[in-house]
Amino acid sequence: MKTNYNLIMEDIINKLENKPKLLLHACCGVCSSAVLEKINKYFDITILFYNPNIYPETEYNKRLETQKDLIDKMKLNIKLMNVEYDPETFNNISKGREQEKEGGERCTKCYLLRLEKTAKLAKLNNFDYFCTTLSISPYKNAEKLNKIGHVLEEKYQIKYLYSDFKKKDGYKRSTELAKQYNLYRQDYCGCEYSLIESKEKQKEKQEIQ
């Protein structure tokens, strides 16, 4: 039986006695939109835009600007923590796994890379919780993400906000908000390998048609 991480999150929220500080890793503006709408009133949120996997740099900058644009348009008291674009870090963990399909071990290592950076910065800057928006995507494995979060919670002694933001139409809501705020929506996960895979799938669809 799969764990319902959305119910765990709701239980955590129901037991809050104040508005704790949350460092929320965001992969893009679209994914963070429904997440912010859902939990902003419960947490004092700072978004961490740490995504060294994104390729190329022009795409990274476009997604970062979209994240900033969303924060402005939602008119929420949300802060943004941006770290330097460092694609070499992602390239190092991907060596030998370049040919893997999306969702494999390369992706798991990418989850860990970004979540561990979030946990470290959350601990260093005295946040109460850390979390990621990644689970809102139907293509991301919430079980893997939360298990990584649990390991990092114990390693760095900082609370992880267990979650599965795709639950209760979270992903659908993110697409609605993207249209409402006229946000840029990418058509691949982020890395060079997912871009290649996305182009191959698009080509196959065109050939069938």
Side-chain angles (χ1 to χ4, degrees):
M1 183 177 177
K2 288 186 177 180
T3 302
N4 190 324
Y5 289 102
N6 183 68
L7 285 179
I8 293 175
M9 182 187 71
E10 290 178 350
D11 185 57
I12 291 171
I13 288 173
N14 288 334
K15 292 176 180 177
L16 293 177
E17 296 181 352
N18 51 21
K19 200 171 184 181
K21 291 172 61 180
L22 169 68
L23 186 59
L24 177 66
H25 165 263
C27 51
C28 67
V30 175
C31 286
S32 66
S33 61
V35 175
L36 292 175
E37 184 181 66
K38 186 180 184 72
I39 66 172
N40 177 65
K41 62 183 177 181
Y42 304 111
F43 296 92
D44 177 8
I45 299 174
T46 296
I47 285 179
L48 173 65
F49 194 85
Y50 176 67
N51 300 290
N53 57 307
I54 296 176
Y55 174 89
E57 188 171 1
T58 52
E59 177 71 18
Y60 176 90
N61 291 330
K62 189 180 291 186
R63 296 191 195 191
L64 175 57
E65 289 307 310
T66 301
Q67 184 67 72
K68 293 176 180 177
D69 188 34
L70 172 73
I71 293 171
D72 288 340
K73 288 178 176 177
M74 290 190 80
K75 301 185 185 305
L76 299 174
N77 185 27
I78 301 293
K79 297 173 282 294
L80 177 66
M81 183 188 297
N82 180 32
V83 294
E84 186 177 352
Y85 179 53
D86 180 23
E88 263 320 295
T89 306
F90 172 75
N91 292 338
N92 288 337
I93 67 163
S94 301
K95 285 178 181 177
R97 300 188 180 277
E98 294 87 349
Q99 303 305 316
E100 289 183 354
K101 294 293 185 181
E102 190 172 344
E105 186 61 23
R106 186 186 66 239
C107 292
T108 302
K109 286 181 174 292
C110 185
Y111 299 163
L112 175 59
L113 174 67
R114 291 184 280 174
L115 270 168
E116 184 152 26
K117 182 75 166 183
T118 309
K120 286 179 178 178
L121 287 173
K123 184 68 174 181
L124 183 65
N125 292 279
N126 298 313
F127 282 85
D128 301 296
Y129 285 86
F130 74 103
C131 186
T132 179
T133 64
L134 284 167
S135 68
I136 200 166
S137 169
Y139 304 106
K140 299 294 184 291
N141 188 317
E143 189 78 23
K144 284 185 180 179
L145 287 165
N146 283 281
K147 285 182 177 179
I148 290 169
H150 175 70
V151 170
L152 296 173
E153 177 180 51
E154 295 192 337
K155 182 176 179 179
Y156 293 101
Q157 292 299 293
I158 182 165
K159 295 175 185 175
Y160 177 72
L161 181 62
Y162 296 89
S163 51
D164 187 354
F165 290 115
K166 71 176 69 65
K167 295 288 188 180
K168 296 189 175 179
D169 290 327
Y171 176 72
K172 179 184 176 184
R173 181 58 179 158
S174 73
T175 62
E176 292 170 350
L177 290 170
K179 291 178 182 178
Q180 178 181 330
Y181 294 121
N182 193 29
L183 300 178
Y184 163 68
R185 285 188 68 191
Q186 63 274 6
D187 57 5
Y188 66 103
C189 179
C191 74
E192 180 179 6
Y193 315 113
S194 67
L195 175 59
I196 292 170
E197 189 174 336
S198 176
K199 286 181 177 179
E200 288 175 348
K201 288 179 180 179
Q202 289 174 10
K203 184 179 179 181
E204 289 173 2
K205 285 182 181 179
Q206 291 172 353
E207 289 174 349
I208 292 173
Q209 293 173 352

